[in-house]
């Protein structure tokens, strides 16, 4: 027989004014299993808690119902108090007499009876409560950061500085990401490379950071604190240990006409190359698709010339499996291409470029060494039109969302252009100017007021080529929709920010959710913006949604803080409100039949397959197993399970059935 | 003189939205009828239809099942699973001839304190007007010699 | 028929299977399941209109699994049941030799993929009699439907013939046997019967292959198959999918679409 | 003590009237949706015309599928326990077949073995059986193989055998005499009709005493495995069986009240013998099938000196997978040990 204590709180007048608490306490004495029942002015006060603890000891109570306010308010308080009196905290339940009864009903018999009913339900529940203990999960204190852009670098540095090992995985040959391609950054116009390169070097040299460039995540198993990640190290065709980065191979490579990705196709590179001079690591890779040797079987100039003999034509991809405790996704974004705009000539004109191409034209390290030359003929453009919202906020392009960064970089581009071509004319077509951010609106105003950039509120309906000019046809909606026609030398489209290539596949590999646009989904849009629904996997930067640099860096530090927090203990402690699959003696082993209909019901991929084997290793039965490290306790699998093999601790079938039987 | 009929209403609500919404009704001091008895579960995904059947078995005249609005589930998708379950369950109950006017499915968010009060009042009034679910009560205890 | 017998003999003689599960003559005009375990027994196999039992119900039984690999004579509903059992991981691809029977034609299907492909070619239709009955039920008032089922269930004695004959009711521990807590009363009184049939129906929604065996199995003639069939049809109407079509699990009640359409949730 | 009379077909109406006037309800085979089942009737016209047997047996008249044994209420500090009183209305079971009438003896053996079951006895006491001899049989019938016959009198208080324009009525017991006395004018003196000539011809299929004698020696025979491979382990056979007597005690309760129920159970269910430890002494269906046969043909005779089977064939007709008891018993009887 249970010995349950019922403690009815008046909450001052809050409950006491409408519910006859003394009578409730009296009524509860008659419930079988209740060994003690009392009412008190303020249960949550120190004397109230002390009284409860003394009663627990004196009456040898093994369960407690506190009839007071909402459990969402004080359940932790009372569970702690009960635990301090030596009773398992999960043997305490709260009846919500205040929010669900006294505050919402009139004073009277019915309200007092309802209060007693609410307690009765929980007394019956508690008879079926079982002591529960926090779940401990061991943690491997090594983080993996996927994506080596500014976000990934920041995460890696913050975690590494927090004293934990980090593996930074980047798919291209160098870290640096999009930021390394930028010329200057808004709103300060400081040189992008100047501020980023030191961070890249710091990451490369940090004793806690292992760089894995030219590598991609292939497979992820396990769960929070205990992931097993398989990374494919793509063959650089080079012994990185021997290579000194002297660059001789690059100079002598005969194949020099390959379109350069780093320069967005505006420049060329060799078949053996580093993406850019400040690349980290500064070790080349051989582009096997373009290398003469791989195409014809002849050449090997680089091999002959390499002073350290580092070239390895026969090198293969390598698969490395790592034990990882937490993963941060910082895989960034891609820009929509200019060839999807029929109204702008499908990107056929070389002088209609996207924002990133403009960055390379404006960059001192770019193909024109920062001199404004339009791509078609190398002439200095006298008139440049910038079109914001190219593709963004446009349902017909499948991008109903705002790309967020374009308003700012378009203003920056116009300014950079004006700074380089003082006599030039810059026009910006825009829908709205969204410059919310510290010093952002001031920056846009500077472009308009100090640099004389002409802002026209309206859309461009058509661009066509005529006499070596690009005729931009638009409308100025602030002038009553008056048609505007500008004969430009170059047009820059601020194309939409989109989820990166392969992000959906990566999301599937990691079992994280993603939205319809391929951006990774946060666990909660407001309160858990850096977490995913898969415990132990976090997000930073534009892989989640369009973000600028400061936001990316801030989120990166946020994600790093989550990881460092996770790594602050040897074990991860979690609430024991989790689902469990029952286990029985042989020959049944469990009521689970292994149909795995529950598998897709779990929002957290917490359901695993467990094989029961005989001594000889033969599989006797395959069961579902819930990984307590991943389960969040929603109970959807419990309701799905036909055999009732799965149950939810804290809200078990027996507990709920007992509650129902009192009705 | 028989006492006027007061319906028994059982509500199954999720912890994060409707239970919190009902808490807000309280903090907002919005009054509603006291017939309802709330059972708290973590998520609508946890609400097994067996619970609804047991509530009917134990003489509930009306039932409320409520959780987070679609897209707002604390567990991201428990309510979507629940929604499918109710879609099939409702049809099954109709085929069996159960009076589905007595079972109300609803989404009440943590911010909808007033809506919770309104829902409870509407359901209570409607079920009071329908009278006791005697059709169902009659079969409880029947078939035993 | 001769082709079937010949193949059955071959399979047994070559040792590819330990038994051929088909139909044989039973009491009176009845047909019954028959395990031909030696080539000499193959002659007893029959195949005609009276062979209605869904033999897939045996595929998950311990005793049958212990025999070794079995060949199974499978009309369309049995084929659907077998693929659903594969989807629910109760059978592995290749566990059985499937002798698919479609309007007399025999085709041996070696793999889940072949079975899937074979099934994709066929339209699934309801029995005309069941259609009429379902329409009749549909046309009834709510009160009449209640009265109809209460009258039918009054004969139910929970012998579980409907459950045990169902190929999808393979659970060793049924919800009905769950006694902690005892969700559904064991007793075959009115509420116990009602809840049993409700739960059985819900458990088969999205899983029922519409073979109708539960209804045929009922010794007291309760048309319980109408319940599961109507639930399965509901799933089809609402979510556009059917049980017994794919070997990869796609259970309507543990998946969802964010835009699932309903109009009753307030 | 059989007193033989002649009862005209027309006189049944008056007999029914007299029985009802005496406060007895009459249960008889009736037809509904093509199914024959026991139902309450007022007049002979309501009795099904040409039936072989009811689907369900008549045992539920004395041993219902669910019956209340006790109930209780819990109030603060006390539990009020109430014994259930069996609802035993004076009943005449009209038109049941001799096999089923005989089956009451097998039930009686268990319910009054080491303990006199109040519920069963109360109902049986108020029960009078007017049996009706069979004039036809089907492939499932095997009464003659188990010591009965289509016109066997065992278990009937009055046995009617259809003869030209009426019935040969054998009044067999005191209960039968009491009925006769209610309407003695209807019972005309008998004329020595040979009822065996009228009754159905049911060939004996196997030698039951020989089978009973050999069963203890064939416990491990493969025949049980072979036969039961197609058994799906439902309870249809046991629930339609007039002699199957197994029950389960269930308690249905909430914190305020509860009741204890006796419900039919079946040894064919895998849960029937499942231990709490997880061990199941009859783990496979063949063991459960064997148990069913042994119980009726070996353990029953050992313990009660009678068989637990009357050869009615209801199980065979009800079985969804056509487990034919007669056929399987015949096969078992032919197994050389």
């Amino acid at each position: 027989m249970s010995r349950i204590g019922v403690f009815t709180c008046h909450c001052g007048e809050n409950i006491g004014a409408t519910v006859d608490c003394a009578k409730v306490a009296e009524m509860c004495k008659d419930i079988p299993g209740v060994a003690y029942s009392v009412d008190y002015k303020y249960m949550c006060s120190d004397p109230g808690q002390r009284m409860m603890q003394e009663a627990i000891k004196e009456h040898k109570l093994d369960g407690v119902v506190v009839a007071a306010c909402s459990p969402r308010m004080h359940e932790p308080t009372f569970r702690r108090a009960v635990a301090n009196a030596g009773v398992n905290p999960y043997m305490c339940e709260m009846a919500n007499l205040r929010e669900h009864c006294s505050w919402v009903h009139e004073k009277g018999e019915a309200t007092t009876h309802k209060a007693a009913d609410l307690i009765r339900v929980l007394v019956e529940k508690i008879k079926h409560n079982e002591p529960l203990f926090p779940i401990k999960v061991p943690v491997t204190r090594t983080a993996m950061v996927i994506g080596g852009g500014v976000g990934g670098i920041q995460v890696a540095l913050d975690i590494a500085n927090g004293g934990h090992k980090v593996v930074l995985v980047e798919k291209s040959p160098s870290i640096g990401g999009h930021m390394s391609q930028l010329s200057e950054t808004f709103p300060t116009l400081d040189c992008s490379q100047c501020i980023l390169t030191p961070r890249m070097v710091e990451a490369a040299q940090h004793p806690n950071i292992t760089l894995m460039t030219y590598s991609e995540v292939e497979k992820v198993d396990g769960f929070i604190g205990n992931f097993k990640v398989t990374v494919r190290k793509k063959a650089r065709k080079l012994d990185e240990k021997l290579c000194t980065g002297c660059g001789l191979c690059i100079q002598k490579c005969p194949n020099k006409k390959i379109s350069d990705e780093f320069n967005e196709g505006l420049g060329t590179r060799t078949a053996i190359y580093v993406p850019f001079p400040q690349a980290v690591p500064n070790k080349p890779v051989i582009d096997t698709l373009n290398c003469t040797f791989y195409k014809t079987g002849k050449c090997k100039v680089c091999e002959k010339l390499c002073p350290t003999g580092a070239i390895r034509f026969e090198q293969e991809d390598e698969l490395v499996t790592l034990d990882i405790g937490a993963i941060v996704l910082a895989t960034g974004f891609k820009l929509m291409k200019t060839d999807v705009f029929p109204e702008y000539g499908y990107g056929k004109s070389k002088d209609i470029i996207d924002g990133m191409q403009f960055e390379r034209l404006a960059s001192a390290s770019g193909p024109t060494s920062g001199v404004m030359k339009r791509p078609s003929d190398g002439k200095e453009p006298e008139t440049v039109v910038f079109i914001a919202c190219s593709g963004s906020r446009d349902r017909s392009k499948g991008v109903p969302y705002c790309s967020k960064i374009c308003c700012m970089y378009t203003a920056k581009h116009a300014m950079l252009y004006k700074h380089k071509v003082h006599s030039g004319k810059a026009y910006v077509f825009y829908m709205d100017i969204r410059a919310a951010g510290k010093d952002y609106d001031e920056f846009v105003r500077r472009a308009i007021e100090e640099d004389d950039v002409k802002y026209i509120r309206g859309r461009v309906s058509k661009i066509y080529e005529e006499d070596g000019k690009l005729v931009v046809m638009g409308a100025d909606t602030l002038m009553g929709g008056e048609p505007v026609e500008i004969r430009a030398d170059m047009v820059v489209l601020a194309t939409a920010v989109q989820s990166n290539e392969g992000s959906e596949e990566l999301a599937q590999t990691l079992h994280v959710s993603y939205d319809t646009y391929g951006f990774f989904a946060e666990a909660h849009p407001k309160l858990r913006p850096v977490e995913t629904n898969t415990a132990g996997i976090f997000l930073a930067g534009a892989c989640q949604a369009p973000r600028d640099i400061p936001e990316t860096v801030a989120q990166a530090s946020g994600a790093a803080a989550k990881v460092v927090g996770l790594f602050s203990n040897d074990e991860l402690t979690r609430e024991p409100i989790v689902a469990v699959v029952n286990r029985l003696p042989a020959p049944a082993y469990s009521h689970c039949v292994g149909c795995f209909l529950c598998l897709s019901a779990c929002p957290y991929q917490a359901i695993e397959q467990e094989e029961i084997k005989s001594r000889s290793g033969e599989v006797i039965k395959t069961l579902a197993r819930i990984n307590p490290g991943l389960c969040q306790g929603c109970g959807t699998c419990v309701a799905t399970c036909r055999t009732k093999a799965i149950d939810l601790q804290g809200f078990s079938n027996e507990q709920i059935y007992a509650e129902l039987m009192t009705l | 003189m028989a006492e006027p009929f007061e319906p028994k209403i059982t509500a199954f609500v999720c912890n994060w939205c409707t239970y919190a919404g009902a808490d807000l009704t309280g903090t907002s001091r919005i009054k509603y009828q006291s017939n309802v008895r709330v059972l708290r579960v973590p998520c609508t995904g946890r609400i097994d239809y067996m619970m609804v059947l047991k509530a009917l078995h134990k003489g509930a005249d009306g039932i409320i099942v409520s959780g987070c609005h679609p897209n707002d589930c604390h567990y991201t998708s428990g309510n979507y699973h629940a929604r499918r379950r109710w879609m099939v369950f409702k049809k099954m109950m109709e085929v069996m001839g159960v009076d589905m006017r007595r079972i109300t499915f609803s989404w009440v968010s943590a911010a909808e304190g007033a809506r919770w009060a309104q829902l409870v009042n509407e359901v209570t009034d409607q079920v009071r007007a329908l009278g006791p679910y005697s059709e169902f009560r009659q079969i409880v205890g029947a078939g035993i010699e | 028929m001769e082709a079937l017998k010949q193949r059955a003999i071959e399979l047994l003689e070559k040792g590819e299977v330990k038994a051929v599960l088909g139909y044989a003559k039973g009491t009176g005009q009845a047909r019954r399941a028959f395990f031909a375990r030696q080539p000499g027994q193959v002659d007893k196999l029959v195949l005609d209109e009276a062979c209605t039992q869904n033999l897939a119900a045996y595929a998950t039984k311990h005793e049958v699994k212990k025999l070794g690999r079995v060949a199974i004579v499978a009309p369309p509903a049995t084929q659907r049941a077998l693929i659903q059992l594969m989807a629910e991981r109760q059978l592995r691809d290749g566990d059985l030799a499937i002798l698919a029977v479609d309007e007399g034609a025999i085709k041996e299907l070696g793999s889940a993929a072949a079975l899937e492909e074979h099934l994709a070619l066929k339209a699934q239709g309801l029995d005309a009699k069941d259609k009429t009955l379902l329409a009749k039920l549909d046309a009834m008032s709510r009160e009449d439907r209640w009265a109809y089922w209460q009258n039918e269930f009054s004969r139910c004695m929970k012998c579980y013939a409907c459950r045990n004959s169902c190929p999808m009711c393979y659970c060793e521990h049924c919800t009905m046997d769950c006694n902690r807590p005892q969700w559904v009363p064991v007793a075959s009184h009115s509420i116990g019967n009602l809840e049993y049939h409700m739960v059985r129906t819900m458990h088969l929604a999205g899983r029922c292959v519409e073979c109708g065996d539960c209804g045929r199995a009922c010794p007291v003639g309760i048309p319980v198959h109408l319940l599961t069939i109507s639930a399965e049809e509901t799933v089809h109407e609402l979510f556009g999918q059917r049980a017994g079509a794919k070997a990869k699990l796609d259970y309507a009640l543990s998946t969802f679409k964010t835009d699932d359409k309903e109009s009753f949730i307030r | 003590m059989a007193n033989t009379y002649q009862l005209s077909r027309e006189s049944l109406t008056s007999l029914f009237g007299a029985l009802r006037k005496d406060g007895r309800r009459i249960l008889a085979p009736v037809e509904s949706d093509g199914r024959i089942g026991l139902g309450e009737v007022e007049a002979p016209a309501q009795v099904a015309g040409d039936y072989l047997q009811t689907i369900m047996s008549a045992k539920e008249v004395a041993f219902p599928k669910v019956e209340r044994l006790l109930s209780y209420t819990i109030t603060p500090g006390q539990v009020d326990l109430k014994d259930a009183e069996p609802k035993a209305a004076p009943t005449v079971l009209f038109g049941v077949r001799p096999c089923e009438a005989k089956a009451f003896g097998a039930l009686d053996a268990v319910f009054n073995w080491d303990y006199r079951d109040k519920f069963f006895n109360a109902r049986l006491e108020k029960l009078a059986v007017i049996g009706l001899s069979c004039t036809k049989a089907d492939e499932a019938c095997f009464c003659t193989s188990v010591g009965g016959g289509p016109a066997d009198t065992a278990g009937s208080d009055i046995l009617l055998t259809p003869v030209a324009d009426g019935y040969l009525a054998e009044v067999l017991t005191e209960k039968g005499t009491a009925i006769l006395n209610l309407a003695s004018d209807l019972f005309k003196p008998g004329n020595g009709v040979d009822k065996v000539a009228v009754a159905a011809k049911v060939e004996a299929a196997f030698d039951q005493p020989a089978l009973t004698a050999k069963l203890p020696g064939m416990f491990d025979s493969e025949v049980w495995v072979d036969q039961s491979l197609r058994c799906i382990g439902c309870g249809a056979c046991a629930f339609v069986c007039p002699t199957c007597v197994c029950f389960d005690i269930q308690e249905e309760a909430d914190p305020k009240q509860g009741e204890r129920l006796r419900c039919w159970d079946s040894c064919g269910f895998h849960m029937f013998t499942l231990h709490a430890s997880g061990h199941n002494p009859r783990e496979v269906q063949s063991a459960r099938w064997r148990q069913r046969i042994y119980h009726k043909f070996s353990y029953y005779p050992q313990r009660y000196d009678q068989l637990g089977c009357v050869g009615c064939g209801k199980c065979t007709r009800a079985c969804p997978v056509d487990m034919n008891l007669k056929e399987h018993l015949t096969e078992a009887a032919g197994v050389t040990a």
Side-chain angles (χ1 to χ4, degrees), chain A residues 384-405:
Chain A
V384 180
V385 170
F386 296 89
I387 304 177
C389 291
S390 293
S392 304
R393 303 171 69 194
D394 185 348
R395 282 171 212 281
S396 67
K397 295 282 182 296
V399 182
Y401 56 86
C402 167
S403 291
K404 200 170 185 184
I405 59 174

Short mmCIF file of all heavy atoms in Angstrom, two decimals, chain A residues 384-405:
data_model
loop_
_atom_site.label_atom_id
_atom_site.label_comp_id
_atom_site.label_asym_id
_atom_site.label_seq_id
_atom_site.Cartn_x
_atom_site.Cartn_y
_atom_site.Cartn_z
N VAL A 384 26.62 51.88 -64.17
CA VAL A 384 26.36 50.53 -63.66
C VAL A 384 24.99 50.51 -62.98
O VAL A 384 24.66 51.41 -62.20
CB VAL A 384 27.44 50.06 -62.67
CG1 VAL A 384 27.14 48.66 -62.16
CG2 VAL A 384 28.81 50.11 -63.31
N VAL A 385 24.19 49.50 -63.34
CA VAL A 385 22.88 49.34 -62.69
C VAL A 385 22.94 48.13 -61.75
O VAL A 385 23.44 47.07 -62.12
CB VAL A 385 21.76 49.13 -63.73
CG1 VAL A 385 20.47 48.72 -63.06
CG2 VAL A 385 21.55 50.42 -64.52
N PHE A 386 22.51 48.35 -60.53
CA PHE A 386 22.45 47.27 -59.55
C PHE A 386 20.98 46.91 -59.33
O PHE A 386 20.16 47.81 -59.13
CB PHE A 386 23.07 47.71 -58.22
CG PHE A 386 24.54 48.02 -58.34
CD1 PHE A 386 24.98 49.30 -58.68
CD2 PHE A 386 25.49 47.03 -58.13
CE1 PHE A 386 26.32 49.59 -58.80
CE2 PHE A 386 26.84 47.32 -58.24
CZ PHE A 386 27.26 48.60 -58.58
N ILE A 387 20.64 45.66 -59.41
CA ILE A 387 19.23 45.26 -59.22
C ILE A 387 19.12 44.39 -57.96
O ILE A 387 19.63 43.27 -57.92
CB ILE A 387 18.68 44.50 -60.44
CG1 ILE A 387 18.86 45.38 -61.70
CG2 ILE A 387 17.22 44.14 -60.24
CD1 ILE A 387 18.43 44.71 -63.00
N ALA A 388 18.49 44.96 -56.96
CA ALA A 388 18.29 44.20 -55.72
C ALA A 388 17.12 43.22 -55.91
O ALA A 388 16.38 43.32 -56.89
CB ALA A 388 18.00 45.16 -54.57
N CYS A 389 16.97 42.32 -54.99
CA CYS A 389 15.88 41.32 -55.05
C CYS A 389 15.81 40.61 -56.39
O CYS A 389 14.74 40.45 -56.97
CB CYS A 389 14.52 41.95 -54.73
SG CYS A 389 14.33 42.46 -53.03
N SER A 390 16.95 40.20 -56.92
CA SER A 390 16.93 39.42 -58.15
C SER A 390 16.66 37.96 -57.78
O SER A 390 17.55 37.23 -57.39
CB SER A 390 18.26 39.52 -58.88
OG SER A 390 18.45 40.84 -59.33
N GLY A 391 15.43 37.63 -57.87
CA GLY A 391 15.04 36.26 -57.50
C GLY A 391 14.47 36.18 -56.09
O GLY A 391 13.56 35.40 -55.83
N SER A 392 14.96 36.99 -55.19
CA SER A 392 14.44 36.94 -53.82
C SER A 392 13.04 37.55 -53.78
O SER A 392 12.69 38.38 -54.61
CB SER A 392 15.32 37.77 -52.88
OG SER A 392 16.64 37.32 -52.96
N ARG A 393 12.27 37.14 -52.82
CA ARG A 393 10.89 37.60 -52.63
C ARG A 393 10.10 37.43 -53.92
O ARG A 393 9.24 38.24 -54.25
CB ARG A 393 10.88 39.07 -52.15
CG ARG A 393 11.68 39.26 -50.88
CD ARG A 393 11.86 40.71 -50.54
NE ARG A 393 10.60 41.33 -50.15
CZ ARG A 393 10.43 42.65 -50.06
NH1 ARG A 393 11.42 43.46 -50.36
NH2 ARG A 393 9.29 43.14 -49.67
N ASP A 394 10.42 36.39 -54.65
CA ASP A 394 9.80 36.17 -55.95
C ASP A 394 9.32 34.72 -56.02
O ASP A 394 10.11 33.79 -56.18
CB ASP A 394 10.84 36.46 -57.04
CG ASP A 394 10.23 36.36 -58.44
OD1 ASP A 394 9.08 35.86 -58.57
OD2 ASP A 394 10.91 36.79 -59.39
N ARG A 395 8.01 34.53 -55.85
CA ARG A 395 7.47 33.17 -55.84
C ARG A 395 7.74 32.43 -57.14
O ARG A 395 7.96 31.23 -57.15
CB ARG A 395 5.96 33.21 -55.60
CG ARG A 395 5.60 33.45 -54.16
CD ARG A 395 4.12 33.70 -53.97
NE ARG A 395 3.93 34.62 -52.85
CZ ARG A 395 3.99 34.24 -51.58
NH1 ARG A 395 4.22 32.99 -51.28
NH2 ARG A 395 3.84 35.11 -50.61
N SER A 396 7.73 33.20 -58.23
CA SER A 396 7.92 32.53 -59.53
C SER A 396 9.32 31.94 -59.64
O SER A 396 9.58 31.05 -60.43
CB SER A 396 7.66 33.50 -60.68
OG SER A 396 8.66 34.50 -60.69
N LYS A 397 10.26 32.45 -58.81
CA LYS A 397 11.61 31.88 -58.83
C LYS A 397 11.77 30.85 -57.70
O LYS A 397 12.86 30.35 -57.45
CB LYS A 397 12.65 32.98 -58.64
CG LYS A 397 12.70 33.98 -59.79
CD LYS A 397 13.45 33.41 -60.99
CE LYS A 397 13.53 34.40 -62.12
NZ LYS A 397 12.22 34.77 -62.70
N GLY A 398 10.67 30.61 -57.01
CA GLY A 398 10.74 29.63 -55.92
C GLY A 398 11.44 30.17 -54.68
O GLY A 398 11.86 29.41 -53.82
N VAL A 399 11.59 31.47 -54.60
CA VAL A 399 12.24 32.06 -53.42
C VAL A 399 11.34 33.15 -52.85
O VAL A 399 11.53 34.33 -53.14
CB VAL A 399 13.64 32.65 -53.79
CG1 VAL A 399 14.33 33.20 -52.55
CG2 VAL A 399 14.51 31.58 -54.43
N PRO A 400 10.37 32.75 -52.04
CA PRO A 400 9.49 33.77 -51.50
C PRO A 400 10.13 34.58 -50.36
O PRO A 400 9.61 35.61 -49.98
CB PRO A 400 8.30 32.96 -50.97
CG PRO A 400 8.83 31.60 -50.73
CD PRO A 400 9.94 31.38 -51.71
N TYR A 401 11.27 34.07 -49.87
CA TYR A 401 11.87 34.74 -48.70
C TYR A 401 12.82 35.86 -49.13
O TYR A 401 13.23 35.95 -50.28
CB TYR A 401 12.61 33.72 -47.84
CG TYR A 401 13.68 32.93 -48.57
CD1 TYR A 401 14.98 33.44 -48.72
CD2 TYR A 401 13.40 31.68 -49.13
CE1 TYR A 401 15.95 32.72 -49.39
CE2 TYR A 401 14.36 30.96 -49.81
CZ TYR A 401 15.64 31.48 -49.94
OH TYR A 401 16.59 30.78 -50.61
N CYS A 402 13.15 36.69 -48.18
CA CYS A 402 14.10 37.78 -48.37
C CYS A 402 15.51 37.24 -48.15
O CYS A 402 15.76 36.54 -47.17
CB CYS A 402 13.79 38.88 -47.35
SG CYS A 402 15.09 40.13 -47.19
N SER A 403 16.45 37.57 -49.05
CA SER A 403 17.80 37.03 -48.91
C SER A 403 18.65 37.83 -47.91
O SER A 403 19.81 37.50 -47.67
CB SER A 403 18.50 36.97 -50.26
OG SER A 403 17.90 35.98 -51.06
N LYS A 404 18.08 38.85 -47.41
CA LYS A 404 18.59 39.56 -46.24
C LYS A 404 19.88 40.36 -46.42
O LYS A 404 20.00 41.46 -45.89
CB LYS A 404 18.77 38.57 -45.08
CG LYS A 404 18.80 39.29 -43.74
CD LYS A 404 18.73 38.34 -42.58
CE LYS A 404 18.64 39.12 -41.29
NZ LYS A 404 18.66 38.26 -40.14
N ILE A 405 20.86 39.80 -47.13
CA ILE A 405 22.14 40.49 -47.20
C ILE A 405 22.25 41.41 -48.41
O ILE A 405 23.14 42.26 -48.47
CB ILE A 405 23.32 39.47 -47.25
CG1 ILE A 405 23.20 38.54 -48.47
CG2 ILE A 405 23.37 38.68 -45.97
CD1 ILE A 405 24.41 37.63 -48.65
#
